[in-house]
Amino acid sequence: FKSDPQDCMPATLCRKLQIDLLRKELGFKGVLVSDAAPMIGITSRVKEDDMVVENIVNGSDVFLFADPIKDFDRLMKAVRSKRLTEERVYESAGRVLEMKARLNLHKHPFGEKVSMEMFHEHRNTAQSAADKSITLLKDDGMVPVSLNNEAKVLTVTLTYKGHNRSPQDLGIVDQELIDRGFQVDHLYSPGHSELLKKVPEYDMVFVNMYITMHMKMGTMRATAEAVMPFWRAFYANNQNVVFTSFGNPYVLYEQPHLPNMLLTYSASEVSQRAVVKVWLGELEPEGVCPVLQPKVTIKRFEYSGK
């Protein structure tokens, strides 16, 4: 390999990685799938007409996000010109067909029909995984919360309005709280004036930050659109607030002054149910975050006015 990374080919174009290392040295016999065709790794090194051929020649079996008509023609031309051998085509085709056979896709292209027993088993497994994953990133003693059965609770979802991810809101959280007897109101990405006006009316506020990949192209940062409600002394004025990040372990890098922070690793229904259990002390947070967190301590100060 070359010493300068700029001179090295990306893995999906590198014979040394895909064939010499994975196939020969490590003995991998499964299917190799390329990076997405539009990604910069492959598009920065070869022309569009050459991408699929160079990828297959150098070891991949599946070209991800291909243009089926154009790329099929490109592969046929490469075979006719001997740039791509028929033997190499049969190798990849054989691996893909074997993978499909192992999964019984030749019998059930979309998978076997799920029985109710299997459905409940899968759902219980998913819930168990979610329950074990909730992570306490920062603790100021607020979790678990102490609430009367009929306490007034406000949930706040902070996200990018209008994004195309689903779910856009966290309705399961509200339903879980209602099922436990709490009076629940909800705000969806409110402005700071609206939030500051509403917060004093409630015994507890759960601020849920739902900022994940692909909501905004190329970033998971908690930008002004999502954190605007926290301006104007929100933290100093309100003590009964619990913060949770749904699917983003980096929030404390953007908002190190948050006094507490729980982390789920998705916004799925099972994750929403799991975090409510942790809020209310029905479940201990035992997850371990794979990302190092910033070491910042922010104390609350009382200003005497003098």
Side-chain angles (χ1 to χ4, degrees):
F1 292 103
K2 299 179 181 179
S3 59
D4 186 352
Q6 296 297 325
D7 294 330
C8 296
M9 297 299 284
T12 47
L13 296 175
C14 184
R15 182 182 183 87
K16 288 184 177 180
L17 286 176
Q18 296 196 104
I19 296 178
D20 295 345
L21 176 61
L22 282 175
R23 295 293 186 201
K24 296 180 178 179
E25 184 175 340
L26 299 180
F28 179 69
K29 299 183 184 301
V31 174
L32 290 179
V33 182
S34 77
D35 193 7
M39 297 299 288
I40 194 170
I42 194 168
T43 58
S44 67
R45 302 307 178 98
V46 292
K47 296 179 180 179
E48 183 178 3
D49 283 344
D50 295 325
M51 289 195 302
V52 64
V53 176
E54 287 298 315
N55 178 236
I56 301 301
V57 166
N58 285 292
S60 289
D61 302 305
V62 175
F63 186 60
L64 187 62
F65 298 156
D67 181 325
I69 296 176
K70 291 182 178 180
D71 285 328
F72 181 79
D73 287 341
R74 289 161 178 156
L75 287 171
M76 288 299 295
K77 290 178 181 177
V79 171
R80 294 190 188 105
S81 67
K82 307 300 183 181
R83 182 179 172 192
L84 177 63
T85 66
E86 289 189 28
E87 180 184 11
R88 179 70 193 84
V89 174
Y90 283 125
E91 284 179 3
S92 288
R95 292 190 190 102
V96 173
L97 290 173
E98 181 182 354
M99 177 183 69
K100 290 182 176 182
R102 287 178 180 273
L103 296 172
N104 287 322
L105 296 183
H106 58 299
K107 297 178 180 179
H108 307 284
F110 299 101
E112 295 185 30
K113 185 177 180 179
V114 178
S115 66
M116 288 305 298
E117 181 180 358
M118 292 171 63
F119 172 79
H120 290 301
E121 181 181 349
H122 294 171
R123 186 173 62 178
N124 291 338
T125 299
Q127 190 63 64
S128 176
D131 288 350
K132 295 175 182 178
S133 72
I134 306 301
T135 303
L136 184 61
L137 295 182
K138 194 172 183 180
D139 185 14
D140 67 346
M142 283 300 302
V143 179
V145 301
S146 178
L147 293 172
N148 297 324
N149 290 337
E150 298 182 358
K152 292 185 64 178
V153 171
L154 177 66
T155 61
V156 182
T157 299
L158 294 182
T159 188
Y160 298 116
K161 293 183 179 179
H163 67 79
N164 60 1
R165 295 284 288 177
S166 180
Q168 289 196 22
D169 215 338
L170 303 169
I172 300 299
V173 163
D174 289 0
Q175 190 58 55
E176 290 292 309
L177 292 169
I178 291 171
D179 290 345
R180 288 165 171 79
F182 300 114
Q183 300 177 50
V184 180
D185 289 328
H186 178 72
L187 293 176
Y188 178 75
S189 287
H192 56 266
S193 297
E194 180 184 10
L195 182 59
L196 290 174
K197 181 180 178 181
K198 294 286 289 185
V199 164
E201 302 174 12
Y202 297 91
D203 300 304
M204 181 61 61
V205 179
F206 295 103
V207 175
N208 301 317
M209 306 183 77
Y210 182 26
I211 304 163
T212 62
M213 289 298 292
H214 302 301
M215 287 182 172
K216 291 285 185 178
M217 186 62 182
T219 182
M220 290 180 72
R221 297 186 64 177
T223 53
E225 180 183 350
V227 300
M228 183 72 76
F230 294 150
W231 295 7
R232 297 189 181 179
F234 178 84
Y235 311 104
N237 293 339
N238 304 286
Q239 304 294 316
N240 295 330
V241 181
V242 171
F243 298 89
T244 302
S245 176
F246 285 81
N248 183 349
Y250 300 103
V251 171
L252 289 179
Y253 282 90
E254 304 293 333
Q255 300 287 308
H257 45 291
L258 291 174
N260 58 65
M261 178 61 68
L262 283 164
L263 170 66
T264 78
Y265 295 89
S266 77
S268 65
E269 292 186 9
V270 291
S271 290
Q272 292 185 55
R273 292 192 180 97
V275 81
V276 171
K277 296 176 190 176
V278 173
W279 288 346
L280 302 178
E282 301 169 7
L283 186 69
E284 289 287 331
E286 56 180 297
V288 178
C289 183
V291 177
L292 292 176
Q293 295 296 309
K295 301 296 184 182
V296 178
T297 301
I298 304 294
K299 295 183 178 179
R300 296 181 187 267
F301 293 97
E302 293 186 5
Y303 179 56
S304 65
K306 297 180 181 180

